[in-house]
Amino acid sequence: MQTRQSIHSDHAKQLDTEGLRREFLIEEVFSPNKLTMTYSHIDRIVFGGIMPVDSPLTFSNELGKSFGVTYFLERRELGLINIGGAGVITVDGTNYEVGKAEALYVGKGARDVSFKSVDSAHPAKFYYNSAPAHTTYPTRKITQDQASPETLGDASTSNRRTIYKYLVPNVLPTCQLVMGMTQLEEGSLWNTMPCHTHERRMEVYFYFNMKEDAAVFHMMGKPDETRHLLVHNEQAIISPSWSIHAGVGTQAYTFIWGMVGENQVFSDMDHVAVRDLR
């Protein structure tokens, strides 16, 4: 498990490229037969990738000790979106078949959670977010059709995209975790521009569906002093509440967003006009 500490905005603007990448970029999310995990001190979010190939993977009992509890989800909720082949997630003895572009919410208190692929030649790739939780809500599968889709943008501004909101209040209840997936149409390159911040929530972006030679220029920093990081396929970016989070790619791509913080109001954003960016 990697641990990333909170970074003050005054500190961040003094970092060079290597420093920014070290603090905010996670370069390896998926690895065959491994469960990766990053623990951020920003709102205590945990995220990573689970890629079972030859045998099932599980959150070990030892993992709970890292969080000062008996088992990982004793005081946490979990959200997962599968970007790979069909898989099966077993939660305390109940099996959930989760296909590509489908999600699973796992409520606080689930003790035994394991992951396997239906076909090892086409392994599942479960990208997950986890947040502290105060109560238990039912574990539930969400298909892409159930994910409250919304199409925004325009081809003329290179940002035509569909936002699939999987873990949001009008789809199912969670304590604080909000997750979804944004898919850009062919020929569109920009996400979240004009940009925004939300002081009341942090966010993690996970970029995928990119070719080997493609990249996204991810914009971050305070609106009056922006920076950028080059992000490649299946890499993630931590976005503090003080930072903008937007990007432009060398081709169309898809990304999963996850937020935790004070509220679950998707539209609670502090918008920044393009003319005011520096």
Side-chain angles (χ1 to χ4, degrees), residues 74-77 105 107-109 132-138 174-175:
E74 183 176 344
R75 297 178 59 83
R76 283 184 163 270
E77 59 186 352
Y105 172 77
K108 180 183 83 74
H134 62 275
T135 193
T136 300
Y137 289 110
T174 67
C175 284

Side-chain angles (χ1 to χ4, degrees), residues 195-265:
C195 64
H196 62 262
T197 61
H198 28 71
E199 285 286 347
R200 294 151 292 279
R201 297 192 304 272
M202 66 83 67
E203 191 161 6
V204 175
Y205 272 19
F206 169 69
Y207 289 99
F208 67 105
N209 276 353
M210 298 162 59
K211 294 180 180 178
E212 187 80 19
D213 60 349
V216 171
F217 291 76
H218 178 89
M219 311 300 173
M220 63 165 297
K222 298 192 74 172
D224 62 351
E225 189 161 352
T226 59
R227 314 289 293 276
H228 78 269
L229 286 174
L230 262 290
V231 184
H232 295 279
N233 190 45
E234 296 187 358
Q235 295 183 343
I237 288 277
I238 299 170
S239 180
S241 57
W242 47 262
S243 177
I244 67 167
H245 35 284
V248 60
T250 58
Q251 62 170 54
Y253 52 89
T254 306
F255 67 98
I256 295 173
W257 42 267
M259 296 181 282
V260 301
E262 297 292 345
N263 66 35
Q264 296 179 310
V265 181

